[in-house]
Amino acid sequence: MMVIRWAAPFLLALLVNGLALAEGVDNKQFDAIQKLGELNGVALNCHFLNETRRMKKALVLALPKRRQYGEAFDSATNTAFLKFIETKAECPAEAAFSQQVDAAILVLESEFANQ
């Protein structure tokens, strides 16, 4: 079980880096997608459904239509969702969380502005 916990993040990193190289997308762009995925995992656990909707809308509007981007977002969401449960994390204040989402959306839009 310990090997699986260690291997999952490692494999995710390889997958994301491989996609970035294959698609010609730089690490900052994938970091922006992953950050939104991480926030989405928290939002789902905390039932911040408006924030989830905002993040998905931002992705649809900012990203080129490639399956790999959606898969990277979903993978980061799943990892963050499970980590939240495993670590028994507490939900942040919704207003503060909303500000984090705002900042992450701005980064995403900036990174994909020329696409």
Side-chain angles (χ1 to χ4, degrees), residues 33 35-61 73-74 77-78 80-81 94 97-102 104-105 108:
I33 294 169
K35 179 61 178 176
L36 278 178
E38 291 167 7
L39 290 170
N40 194 46
V42 173
L44 290 170
N45 271 295
C46 298
H47 305 286
F48 297 156
L49 300 181
N50 286 333
E51 297 304 325
T52 295
R53 284 186 209 105
R54 284 193 328 120
M55 287 183 269
K56 287 184 178 182
K57 181 178 180 181
L59 287 166
V60 168
L61 294 175
F73 174 76
D74 287 344
T77 295
N78 291 336
F81 185 87
E94 192 166 1
F97 185 79
S98 184
Q99 290 177 345
Q100 289 181 323
V101 172
D102 289 340
I105 288 172
L108 180 83

Side-chain angles (χ1 to χ4, degrees), residues 1 4 7-8 19-20 26 32 37 39 41-42 53 62 67 88 91 97 99 110 115:
M1 188 67 161
I4 293 172
L19 288 174
D26 67 35
L39 290 170
V42 173
R53 284 186 209 105
R67 180 183 60 209
K88 299 178 182 164
C91 292
F97 185 79
Q99 290 177 345
S110 172
Q115 297 288 314

Side-chain angles (χ1 to χ4, degrees), residues 19-34:
L19 288 174
L21 294 174
E23 294 294 323
V25 176
D26 67 35
N27 287 336
K28 288 182 181 182
Q29 290 173 323
F30 265 103
D31 289 346
I33 294 169
Q34 281 193 287

